[in-house]
Amino acid sequence: MSTAPRRVPRWRDVEPFLKARPWHADPVARRLARTHSIDELEGEARRRVPGAVWDYVHGGSDGEVAMARNRAAFDRVELRPTAFGQVASPDTSTILLGRPASAPIVFAPTGYARLSHHEGERAVAAAAAGAGLPFALSTYATTSITDTALAAPAGRNWLQVYLMKDRDVTLAHLAEAREQGYEALVLTIDTTVTGLKRKDKRNGFNIPPELTPRTVAGMARHPGWVAGILTTEPVRFATFPEGSDYSRWGMSNQLREQAIRPADITWLKDRWPGPVVVKGVQSVTDARACVDAGADAVVLSNHGGRQLDRAPVPLELLPDVVAAVGDRTEVYVDSGVRSGGDVAAVIGLGGRGVLVGRAYLYGLMVGGRRGVDFVAGCLVDELQRAMCLLGTPDIASITTDHVRLREH
């Protein structure tokens, strides 16, 4: 049996194996360079903020069963490619609420974004605008309606609405949003009271942060986060007048409307010139009621598992809602979306698009605006790659033929 002759290796033989990865002097660039998915970004994010902030963003209500089920549903998705149908450059663009978007993705409303990074909602709005995606500003944002619009003057800005018992407060929000060019309202209906976050109770979570021994210890390990918070404007509920009861932590249940009815959708439609989206729909019956009251879109959502624990899983509810009202309204899915494959699954099951929240907050924690840019790019790239392999040249081509929910 013959063997190949041995020789002393030459430098040119060894050199290709010794090339180092590019080194970045900028720490944000280093973090993002070693991150290749939202799951990996989550690990980076956890190291960037105090524990109380992390628990607030990452956690769910009560036993966190709904939050776990949201992800488990996406793990059951099977994507089914079209044989010999791969395409090189699929088009991820679509129409959301009558206007073009670069992908069927909306950055969801999330409260208190400046706790994740001092740039907060300004960075999220600017990143969404840069990526060609809509962004919904929360009623409980830490950046005002006007300042958010100034950060993304060319963006597709939506305003999430919690109806207040004093409707004049809500009307003031609508007037400011209209003046600043916001295109849509997102009425949230799943927050009769605020869900109990056990971790937040243990941490003494508050806005502004309370300086308990536990929070001080957490902050001491994150001097960069502390410097960002202390050297910029105070963290507060910036959509309300400073010093008002509405800007005080813990007052939301007393001041927010706790008896939302379909007539409230009609009330908003009568006072707003653009689309009204209803978020927090968790049954076919409620979806029908929303559409009958004039909703231009519904978002199937259990608030990311942060309100009623063991609530219905939006992805599992999607086919039935689409069958009931999909010919009359746009149907979106929120809660648990973490990848472009998840986006493709929602489209294939009949949804118009998805809302993502925690994912971009992880990006915000890791690198401010650049971290949110990474999230937008990651989701769109993953969606495009999934479409390549599915054999779907555009969003409309993704159908039930390409997606199913496995039983196990």
Side-chain angles (χ1 to χ4, degrees):
M1 180 177 179
S2 62
T3 59
R6 300 293 185 94
R7 60 180 175 80
V8 176
R10 295 163 294 184
W11 172 250
R12 68 186 184 191
D13 299 321
V14 177
E15 183 182 15
F17 296 97
L18 299 179
K19 290 183 178 178
R21 292 181 178 179
W23 186 84
H24 301 278
D26 177 10
V28 171
R30 283 202 305 274
R31 293 172 208 145
L32 295 176
R34 61 177 177 249
T35 302
H36 305 94
S37 68
I38 304 302
D39 288 338
E40 292 182 4
L41 185 72
E42 179 184 327
E44 288 286 342
R46 186 167 194 165
R47 295 189 283 271
R48 306 260 64 85
V49 296
V53 174
W54 175 256
D55 285 344
Y56 169 74
V57 171
H58 182 263
S61 63
D62 297 299
E64 301 186 340
V65 175
M67 186 172 73
R69 287 176 178 171
N70 290 340
R71 270 313 311 164
F74 279 104
D75 290 341
R76 288 172 48 217
V77 166
E78 179 177 275
L79 297 178
R80 315 179 83 178
T82 302
F84 310 116
Q86 287 86 347
V87 291
S89 300
D91 180 8
T92 64
S93 67
T94 190
I95 301 297
L96 304 178
L97 297 184
R99 294 182 57 187
S102 65
I105 299 167
V106 179
F107 279 0
T110 58
Y112 331 133
R114 289 191 58 235
L115 284 181
S116 293
H117 188 280
H118 62 272
E119 293 178 5
E121 291 88 357
R122 290 180 178 88
V124 182
L133 306 174
F135 164 59
L137 181 74
S138 172
T139 292
Y140 292 115
T142 46
T143 306
S144 72
I145 294 169
T146 296
D147 287 343
T148 300
L150 292 174
R156 294 190 58 188
N157 297 316
W158 302 357
L159 177 66
Q160 181 268 335
V161 174
Y162 284 118
L163 281 182
M164 299 298 161
K165 292 176 181 177
D166 181 352
R167 291 293 197 270
D168 286 343
V169 176
T170 297
L171 289 173
H173 284 159
L174 268 58
E176 185 177 357
R178 185 172 183 178
E179 182 180 351
Q180 296 301 325
Y182 283 65
E183 70 171 69
L185 299 181
V186 181
L187 173 65
T188 298
I189 63 171
D190 65 352
T191 316
T192 304
V193 295
T194 303
L196 174 65
K197 284 74 169 185
R198 297 172 186 171
K199 294 173 183 174
D200 291 351
K201 296 290 284 186
R202 287 196 297 268
N203 291 330
F205 181 82
N206 207 338
I207 295 178
E210 291 182 350
L211 296 180
T212 65
R214 188 184 185 109
T215 56
V216 168
M219 291 177 185
R221 292 190 291 270
H222 299 88
W225 180 89
V226 172
I229 293 294
L230 294 182
T231 59
T232 56
E233 60 191 305
V235 176
R236 68 179 190 89
F237 300 139
T239 65
F240 300 103
E242 189 168 3
S244 74
D245 285 344
Y246 292 89
S247 65
R248 291 170 52 200
W249 174 256
M251 291 294 292
S252 59
N253 287 344
Q254 292 94 316
L255 300 171
R256 189 173 57 233
E257 178 61 71
Q258 294 176 297
I260 299 290
R261 299 291 184 264
D264 294 311
I265 301 171
T266 307
W267 184 86
L268 280 177
K269 288 286 292 183
D270 290 342
R271 289 157 177 81
W272 179 257
V276 172
V277 180
V278 181
K279 178 177 178 286
V281 174
Q282 298 177 67
S283 72
V284 171
T285 299
D286 285 350
R288 286 197 181 102
C290 290
V291 177
D292 290 344
D296 299 282
V298 295
V299 181
L300 308 183
S301 171
N302 59 28
H303 221 103
R306 298 171 65 82
Q307 284 297 105
L308 177 65
D309 205 8
R310 296 180 174 84
V313 175
L315 185 68
E316 296 174 348
L317 184 61
L318 176 60
D320 290 341
V321 172
V322 169
V325 300
D327 60 340
R328 301 168 58 198
T329 194
E330 297 182 4
V331 181
Y332 296 76
V333 166
D334 166 271
S335 303
V337 177
R338 294 175 69 100
S339 72
D342 294 343
V343 180
V346 168
I347 301 302
L349 292 174
R352 178 61 63 93
V354 305
L355 276 67
V356 295
R358 283 188 182 93
Y360 76 65
L361 290 178
Y362 296 155
L364 197 60
M365 292 174 182
V366 171
R369 160 73 191 272
R370 285 182 289 168
V372 185
D373 287 338
F374 170 86
V375 170
C378 181
L379 291 173
V380 174
D381 287 349
E382 289 175 347
L383 173 61
Q384 187 172 53
R385 187 162 54 253
M387 292 171 66
C388 282
L389 298 172
L390 282 171
T392 51
D394 51 37
I395 293 297
S397 300
I398 307 175
T399 69
T400 52
D401 291 338
H402 300 100
V403 182
R404 79 177 179 109
L405 288 176
R406 299 171 61 90
E407 291 301 319
H408 301 288

